[in-house]
Amino acid sequence: MKRSVLKRFARLFAPRSLRYQLLSRSLLILAGLLLLIGIFQYLFMQQFVFKNKAESIQSQIMSIPREAWPNMNKEPQQGPRRDPPMRLLFFSQDSSVAFVDTDGNYKLIVDPPETGTTVKLSQQEYLEAMNMKPELNYKIVQDDNGVEQLVVLQPIVNRGKIYGLAQVNTGTAPLKDVLLLQLVTFMGLSLIALIFGLLTFIPVLKRTLVPLSKMVGTVEKIDAGNLDERLPSRQNQLEIDRLSISFNRMLERLEASFEAEKEAKERMRRFIADASHELRTPLTSIHGFLEILLRGAVNQPEQLHKALTSMYSESERINKLVQDLLMLARLDRTPTAEMQTGMLDEVILSMEPQLLLLAGDRKVSFDLQPLSKCIFDQDKMKQVVLNLFHNAVQHTSATAGHIDVSTATVSGGVQLTVRDNGSGIPEEHLPNLFDRFYRIDTSRARKYGGAGLGLSITKTIIDLHGGTIAVESEEGKGSAFHVLIPDELPAGLVEHKNE
């Protein structure tokens, strides 16, 4: 139990963990700020203490009568050393007092302490101090022993007359001891504050990062393969919520991409299987006839003619299948269309001889509304008409068949309708009618050479035009294919032109 707790703690506060980095960097910044505050406080308090001490000495100097300063003499020492009366006026035992007259003569009044020596400034500095206004004037200097001292200079003025300059020296060591003690106290309190902040910040940080920990757990589940998992989008943290929403959207796109890829692979698998099956049948037939010819049928004119006719028919079927596959590949890969405004009825009228030849003995009628204006690629639109017409021919009687081709201007474009009186399409086959290699009657489709690609090509071309295709059919009575070609390019559809 204890070991697991230690492992968990080590994992949470590993050097590369977010908790450790936030905690260490926050405490480092706080420690730096406290250190900076301590340094600035020490420097500020040093000036404050020096100035306060200088003001105190100045007040003591001003408490002595002005006229008494020039007459003060250094008292002789007799017997044991005693502090002169002047020493009693100053509370500090490490001070020395001197008087400088207007001629710059320096006279020591109170000896410096045994551990120090007196500090004598230059005559120029004394003269400058006498001419200053009665303001606080002090300096920090070092005596001959290298001991730092506070020197206070105070002009002695009485009724506008300058008698001289009073100088009081005192050591700064006691003052610095006070400052150092204050700095050590501040640093100790700062260290205690940092420790208290650490103990307080750990649970607060852990609670703050709970949403992030939940996200990590959810992402681990997603990484394990569960793409249905989603991150909670409302955790009362703006950045985490925005990240969750963006991540969920990315997951939705990934899931959609995986589904699309799965569907595309399945379509490709079916496509390859169907294409292989379609190619295998004519190739097997051709191979069989070639084998018959090799066995001696080449010397029998009737069997030779029958074999060559069948092989020619199968080769045509292979050629058409390959052409359809190539067209589908081009339409899927880089669809190109030279869109231009034209009359759809005129295009169909130009195809009338070809359609009548294709129909044979079937009855064909045209009901074309004049000036059926829309936007289309002429070559591809001819392919649509041919595919729909050929489909009608395949599923109508060769003698009693009737095919009707009509156009009409409707809202949004022109509607092309190809109607026949053939066998019709069972209702269960209608949803899959435009799928590739989909055939209602396999044996009948092969009889007419169909591979189930014509309607798929037709729908792809119509989608390229931004149009729609629909089918109405009743089994035993015939079918009608309705194609709507818009008279304007839909939004987002770019006009492509062949290079």
Side-chain angles (χ1 to χ4, degrees), residues 339-463:
M339 302 292 189
Q340 53 184 311
T341 303
M343 305 300 173
L344 185 58
D345 57 301
E346 295 179 1
V347 173
I348 298 176
L349 284 175
S350 68
M351 298 175 63
E352 184 176 353
Q354 182 182 3
L355 298 178
L356 292 175
L357 181 63
L358 184 63
D361 295 333
R362 298 170 181 82
K363 182 181 178 181
V364 180
S365 60
F366 294 93
D367 182 14
L368 306 176
Q369 180 178 346
L371 303 177
S372 300
K373 184 178 179 181
C374 56
I375 298 177
F376 56 88
D377 183 309
Q378 184 169 327
D379 292 336
K380 287 184 171 55
M381 190 52 58
K382 287 183 178 181
Q383 182 73 40
V384 169
V385 175
L386 279 174
N387 287 350
L388 294 177
F389 194 86
H390 186 264
N391 184 72
V393 169
Q394 284 183 327
H395 296 88
T396 54
S397 172
T399 56
H402 181 201
I403 303 174
D404 177 69
V405 181
S406 63
T407 60
T409 302
V410 297
S411 175
V414 175
Q415 180 172 289
L416 165 67
T417 302
V418 179
R419 189 183 303 273
D420 64 69
N421 64 344
S423 58
I425 304 171
E427 185 177 355
E428 63 269 17
H429 294 290
L430 293 179
N432 303 316
L433 196 60
F434 298 101
D435 294 346
R436 298 177 185 183
F437 293 106
Y438 186 81
R439 291 169 303 192
I440 301 171
D441 188 344
T442 304
S443 61
R444 187 177 182 187
R446 285 194 179 135
K447 178 182 177 181
Y448 292 103
L453 293 176
L455 291 178
S456 179
I457 293 174
T458 300
K459 186 177 186 308
T460 304
I461 294 175
I462 293 171
D463 290 341

Side-chain angles (χ1 to χ4, degrees), residues 121-169:
L121 304 179
S122 65
Q123 190 172 7
Q124 181 66 28
E125 289 178 306
Y126 288 136
L127 293 177
E128 290 177 358
M130 290 181 194
N131 296 325
M132 291 179 62
K133 294 181 178 180
E135 297 177 353
L136 180 62
N137 184 11
Y138 67 94
K139 299 177 183 293
I140 304 297
V141 296
Q142 290 184 347
D143 59 15
D144 296 339
N145 297 328
V147 178
E148 189 177 79
Q149 294 194 18
L150 173 67
V151 179
V152 180
L153 302 174
Q154 178 63 40
I156 305 300
V157 182
N158 187 21
R159 297 179 182 180
K161 182 179 179 181
I162 299 177
Y163 288 98
L165 187 69
Q167 174 182 330
V168 178
N169 303 342

Side-chain angles (χ1 to χ4, degrees), residues 16-33:
R16 295 180 60 186
S17 69
L18 182 60
R19 288 185 178 90
Y20 174 81
Q21 293 183 12
L22 285 176
L23 183 62
S24 60
R25 292 174 184 177
S26 300
L27 292 179
L28 183 62
I29 292 174
L30 182 59
L33 290 176

